[in-house]
Amino acid sequence: MATAHTLFHWGLYEARPHESGEPGLGRWRGDEDPSPIGLADRLSDFDVARIARPSVRRSVLEQGPGARRDLRGREAFVEVDWEIAIKLVASELTRVIAEHGNASIFGGSYGWASAGRFHHALSQLHRFLNVIGGYIRQTDSYSLGAGRVLMPHLLGTMDEIMGGMTSWDVMERHTELFVTFGGVPAKNAQVSPGGAGSHRVAGALRRMKANGARFVNFSPVQSNLDVGGEVEWIPIRPNTDTALMLGLAFVLQTEGFTDRAQIDRYASGFGEFLPYLLGETDGMPKTPEWAAAITGVPEETIRRVARDMASSRTMLNIAWALQRASHGEQPFWMLMTLGCMLGQFGLPGGGFGLGYGAMNGIGSPHVKLKGPTFPQGRNPIDAFIPCARVTDMLLSPGERFAYNGGVHTYPDARLIYWAGGNPFHHHQDLNRLVAAWQRPETIIVHEPYWTPTAKHADIVLPVTTSVEREDIGFSTREGTIVAMRKLKPAYGEARSDFDILAAIAARMGLEAAFTEGLDEDGWLRRLYSEFRRDSSALLPDLPDFDAFLEAGVVPLPLHDEGVVYLQDYRRDPEAHPLPTPSGKMEIHSERIAAFGLADCQGHPRWYEPAEWLGSARANAYPLHMISDQPERRLHSQLDTAPWSKAGKVDGREPIQIRTEDALARGIASGDIVRVFNDRGACLASAVVTDAIAPHVVKLSTGAWFDQPGSIEQAGNPNVLTLDIGASGLSQGCIAQTCLVEIEKYAGAPTRVTAHDLPHLVAAATVRPIIHGDPKEMTELAFTPSPGRTS
Ligand SMILES: Nc1nc2c(c(=O)[nH]1)N[C@H]1C(S)=C(S)[C@@H](COP(=O)(O)OP(=O)(O)OC[C@H]3O[C@@H](n4cnc5c(=O)[nH]c(N)nc54)[C@H](O)[C@@H]3O)O[C@H]1N2
Ligand SMILES: Nc1nc2c(c(=O)[nH]1)N[C@H]1C(S)=C(S)[C@@H](COP(=O)(O)OP(=O)(O)OC[C@H]3O[C@@H](n4cnc5c(=O)[nH]c(N)nc54)[C@H](O)[C@@H]3O)O[C@H]1N2
Ligand SMILES: [Mo]
């Protein structure tokens, strides 16, 4: 039999049996640099903290929906059989729709879920909720909250930009100087949404270096740019890059490196921006001296780098993290402006890019294709929130919020349905979320694992993982389509999201609308054959479904020439206008100016972040915390696997702190520290280093929220972060804007319980109370069973 494969967001792997005969995973031979996240001697290594059976919060079973919401996250669960679980969910959805309407069901369900085009949890859930009459949706992403709203006004959608950025092979041949704000974190390029193919970023950076490219990295941390050789690391105060770029722009402009006729040909609004840059509108010229005082980057360095940029073939890059911050629109806007002033866009190896390193697919030479897609149907409900405003919605239904030029109202969410995400990992200011999470009447979660979100739900339905089902794996610009095979039986009584939702739809009399009469195999065949039909012009040789299964991994063809971003636009801007109101890059946007927002005006500006090292708040909380993406997992996924655990100390995440800052606090490497501010506190394990800027600490995300008392135990940075929008334009998440203080932990360390199962109670004779159905209200008898731990 041919080798079976599977695909995760972090890569493609081959099934490889362990000597015990258990299934395991090894490297796929087509991957130049496989990610260790997915290598597994035994697939059962990924099964710690799995959910075995449908589980219902005890008070909900005893007293009905909505009971003791204050106990969410602290109460025992009763394991029930599937029939009861399905009945409970169906009757609760029916009740909420009858009493409050579909605009009271929050189905935004933000999250990465797992790879696989059919078993994509969010698509499954959204289709189901559309079939039952619609739901409150969400817009944008945590990744690019500010960028996704901003860039269409200035340049094009983020998808167009990411799909068109100059490819690595071109930079390997042509780029002389690569200047980046926030590095090129190859750790992040382990993933692509839908599944990375061959991992190319680390190798590409090394080849650029070997070909003589020089690298300058403005960054609060040093570790995010590894080129296998020298990099000039220039530490910068977090969240001040816009001021730095203004300083660089000032040098370009005042030392004769800009070409006004060229700028006006390709961009609109430079005339509005220039007086601000020169200080004519606010009396404050954005000189290198001015920028140095804000950023901590020496004035002479700013001048030198600006001159170097102008005299080399230069590529500018910015990490997405910079827009995940207070006024996060500004650094993206200013990068485009700087790139425009430098004038090298559209030339091989020059110009600018947004987010090299953020995903493996960025800068890929593979063609952009639309993959197989599970149809979600149409949502008849208009209510929505920008995704990072979930706590605001729960706390303030009916209140108004600004978003992308409009004013909208927070809907009244009575029921939350979440599948494929972990808000107790991803959201900011988790103590605020814990309070808001008590508001809705019912919370339903589908999960493979006992994540903190599952533990904070009322009804938890256990889901198979991608290695426990058949699927089609595809991610655009990764160059393959993959037959994902079932490599092990389902864990416990877990079922796929599709199977669960089909059963609930059946109970509600809507099965045919949800399944269209197809089972999983029928859907896989349909999605594949639609893809094959729709791509037949580009890919005439795609095998049929059975041959695809046999082949396992089918390569999709490459570009034969390197991609140069904005090349056509540079050659002939009239023939290739940009999709903006002026058809040009918008240094000043009339549209955004007309929105009349104080915190995002018509052109890029330096605004003081809500909190930063230059603010008065730094007297109380003098360290800026960067909470970057974790190297050893994707967000909170596989936090329980050996590779992630090996990066922790006694179950706690490492936090990097600079030598002087540690000395001043009597902290040594390996100490347990308490990281705190007025929003919360967590414990972490100190790592003292000189590879981080003064007054900056770094605590990666993804530790499962574990807060039995007032201190989070596992090192989840989101108990500390700030939960306000980037601006009235985007309302994006601002996780990177966060001041903290650190001290050596004086208390006795407790065992981290993040990966423990909740207290599970077996129901001997469960006759659940199903709201609105008095016939079924019966006394309950419980047989307590010891909470299993693994
Ligand atoms: N402080 C701080 N916070 C951040 C960020 C930051 O930089 N700093 N980054 C933000 C960003 S960019 C993002 S994208 C978010 C990510 O946040 P999330 O996307 O919510 O994080 P994940 O851990 O990937 O959550 C996916 C969940 O889906 C579950 N799952 C996997 N497969 C399936 C399936 O088939 N069915 C179901 N039902 N569930 C499944 C997994 O077990 C996991 O719990 O975090 C954000 N939060
Ligand atoms: N292994 C792994 N890879 C991932 C993910 C994961 O969870 N694990 N998540 C994926 C997702 S969803 C996303 S959205 C992307 C995110 O990609 P990014 O947003 O680029 O990721 P981060 O690691 O948060 O940040 C990148 C770098 O920006 C720096 N930085 C932060 N703030 C500032 C600042 O103010 N100024 C400057 N100059 N630098 C700053 C940080 O030090 C960090 O090294 O990564 C993806 N890749
Ligand atoms: Mo993201």
Side-chain angles (χ1 to χ4, degrees), residues 467-640:
V467 292
E468 296 166 356
R469 52 199 191 206
E470 300 273 305
D471 211 332
I472 302 168
F474 174 92
S475 175
T476 194
R477 305 188 80 210
E478 290 295 346
T480 50
I481 183 161
V482 182
M484 297 167 61
R485 304 315 302 262
K486 177 171 173 171
L487 304 178
K488 72 191 272 286
Y491 184 89
E493 296 177 16
R495 292 161 71 170
S496 71
D497 294 288
F498 173 77
D499 195 25
I500 297 168
L501 294 167
I504 300 166
R507 176 86 194 171
M508 297 173 79
L510 293 163
E511 185 178 15
F514 180 69
T515 66
E516 295 183 36
L518 296 176
D519 62 7
E520 296 191 357
D521 183 63
W523 272 106
L524 293 177
R525 285 174 188 276
R526 171 170 153 186
L527 297 187
Y528 183 84
S529 62
E530 285 173 354
F531 169 71
R532 187 164 173 247
R533 181 195 66 206
D534 296 346
S535 5
S536 57
L538 279 170
L539 302 166
D541 300 326
L542 276 182
D544 68 18
F545 185 72
D546 292 303
F548 163 64
L549 284 189
E550 186 55 35
V553 179
V554 173
L556 307 171
L558 298 179
H559 267 293
D560 45 10
E561 306 166 279
V563 181
V564 175
Y565 183 48
L566 296 178
Q567 189 167 40
D568 292 340
Y569 180 61
R570 184 181 188 102
R571 277 197 201 121
D572 189 346
E574 284 75 33
H576 301 279
L578 298 178
T580 61
S582 62
K584 300 181 178 187
M585 294 187 236
E586 301 223 347
I587 293 177
H588 180 271
S589 161
E590 300 284 340
R591 220 200 258 157
I592 294 176
F595 294 163
L597 298 165
D599 55 5
C600 188
Q601 299 169 51
H603 62 70
R605 284 170 189 263
W606 162 249
Y607 300 87
E608 269 203 43
E611 49 192 68
W612 66 297
L613 290 173
S615 59
R617 190 176 157 85
N619 295 326
Y621 304 111
L623 300 170
H624 194 119
M625 182 182 74
I626 297 294
S627 49
D628 65 338
Q629 311 289 351
E631 181 174 353
R632 288 170 175 264
R633 56 188 173 259
L634 171 68
H635 308 303
S636 68
Q637 297 195 42
L638 295 190
D639 189 43
T640 63

Side-chain angles (χ1 to χ4, degrees), residues 112 143 187-188 218 220 224 239 241 321 324 358 629-630 633 635:
W112 268 64
S143 321
K187 67 164 172 72
N188 291 355
F218 291 101
N224 54 21
N239 292 194
D241 301 75
R324 226 175 291 120
Q629 311 289 351
R633 56 188 173 259
H635 308 303

Side-chain angles (χ1 to χ4, degrees), residues 201-225:
V201 173
L205 287 169
R206 280 175 163 65
R207 286 189 291 274
M208 282 176 74
K209 182 71 188 174
N211 290 348
R214 290 174 297 118
F215 289 83
V216 173
N217 184 17
F218 291 101
S219 175
V221 315
Q222 186 175 21
S223 58
N224 54 21
L225 182 54

Side-chain angles (χ1 to χ4, degrees), residues 129-189:
L129 292 175
N130 285 336
V131 162
I132 67 168
Y135 64 97
I136 304 164
R137 70 194 160 86
Q138 78 203 348
T139 59
D140 313 319
S141 67
Y142 279 76
S143 321
L144 282 164
R148 281 200 182 272
V149 179
L150 176 73
M151 294 316 293
H153 299 298
L154 313 183
L155 185 61
T157 65
M158 275 310 301
D159 291 327
E160 286 161 353
I161 296 167
M162 286 189 274
M165 274 161 58
T166 299
S167 51
W168 287 107
D169 57 312
V170 174
M171 292 193 285
E172 284 170 28
R173 287 196 301 276
H174 296 282
T175 303
E176 294 168 344
L177 176 65
F178 190 96
V179 177
T180 179
F181 304 86
V184 179
K187 67 164 172 72
N188 291 355

Side-chain angles (χ1 to χ4, degrees), residues 280-304:
E280 291 162 7
T281 45
D282 60 357
M284 184 64 79
K286 309 304 173 297
T287 60
E289 297 85 325
W290 171 84
I294 294 171
T295 61
V297 177
E299 181 192 327
E300 259 327 296
T301 306
I302 300 175
R303 286 189 199 283
R304 173 173 54 81

Side-chain angles (χ1 to χ4, degrees), residues 745-750:
Y745 182 55
T750 52

